[in-house]
Amino acid sequence: MPRIYKACWLLLTSLCLSPGAWAAPTVYGWIEKGLIMPDATSAKRVAVKMKLDTGALTSSMDARSLQHFKRDGKPWVRFTLALTDANTDKEVRQTLERPVERTVTVRGAGGMEERPTVTMSICLGDKVYKEWFTLRDRSDMNYPVLLGRRLLAELGPVDSGRTFTVQPSCD
């Protein structure tokens, strides 16, 4: 083997074998526990079960009593989070207001529906993510939060055979 090949092989081998050189990505399960982090003024973070859905492009969040209004001429929405805290099993209700980032047309088995999209922060594992969420009443669904492909592209691999691979630990 020529010297240059030996040198390259030794360099690559040492990089691959050095501790911490290649950190394995976190693999998430199809269901994870995460925190909804409403805003800086709200002390109540809610732990909920979130479904990681590779079939959905945009994330979705359970929102009740949806009210559209204008603030400074721009569209806003007021809604209530009515969630069961996964840590305490108690129902938590919070009313929030957010500017509408955009409106999304969602096509499903029940037809087409227009939904407002707002920015919310969630904690998954040890990271906080700011994500767009469409709002709709998900009270008839098993999971109040669905994480779509836009966020999953940031997270990393999802193993459909696993659940609860990380615990939320954001400061």
Side-chain angles (χ1 to χ4, degrees), residues 26-32 50-53 124 152 157-166:
T26 300
V27 177
Y28 295 90
W30 73 281
I31 302 294
E32 292 292 349
M50 300 179 177
K51 179 180 178 182
L52 283 67
D53 188 350
L124 200 58
L152 297 182
V158 176
D159 182 342
S160 63
R162 297 174 67 188
T163 57
F164 305 113
T165 63
V166 297

Side-chain angles (χ1 to χ4, degrees), residues 58-59 61 66 76-79 97-102 115-121 131-135:
T58 306
S59 298
M61 185 174 293
L66 207 59
W76 279 63
V77 68
R78 180 178 303 114
F79 58 97
E97 294 180 351
R98 293 284 187 277
V100 176
E101 302 289 342
R102 64 189 186 127
R115 297 183 193 163
T117 303
V118 300
T119 300
M120 295 284 292
S121 293
E131 172 69 3
W132 278 354
F133 287 89
T134 62
L135 301 177

Side-chain angles (χ1 to χ4, degrees), residues 39-138:
D39 55 37
T41 62
S42 174
K44 187 62 180 169
R45 297 175 175 184
V46 184
V48 296
K49 294 176 184 175
M50 300 179 177
K51 179 180 178 182
L52 283 67
D53 188 350
T54 60
L57 178 62
T58 306
S59 298
S60 182
M61 185 174 293
D62 185 26
R64 317 275 176 91
S65 306
L66 207 59
Q67 299 173 324
H68 294 267
F69 64 98
K70 297 263 186 196
R71 181 172 287 161
D72 298 326
K74 297 193 172 144
W76 279 63
V77 68
R78 180 178 303 114
F79 58 97
T80 301
L81 296 178
L83 306 165
T84 301
D85 189 297
N87 291 333
T88 64
D89 245 8
K90 293 183 181 176
E91 185 171 308
V92 176
R93 296 181 80 79
Q94 296 181 26
T95 300
L96 304 172
E97 294 180 351
R98 293 284 187 277
V100 176
E101 302 289 342
R102 64 189 186 127
T103 301
V104 174
T105 301
V106 178
R107 292 168 189 79
M112 291 181 14
E113 177 185 20
E114 298 235 334
R115 297 183 193 163
T117 303
V118 300
T119 300
M120 295 284 292
S121 293
I122 62 161
C123 168
L124 200 58
D126 61 355
K127 293 182 183 166
V128 175
Y129 299 91
K130 278 190 142 180
E131 172 69 3
W132 278 354
F133 287 89
T134 62
L135 301 177
R136 76 174 288 255
D137 185 335
R138 294 182 55 85

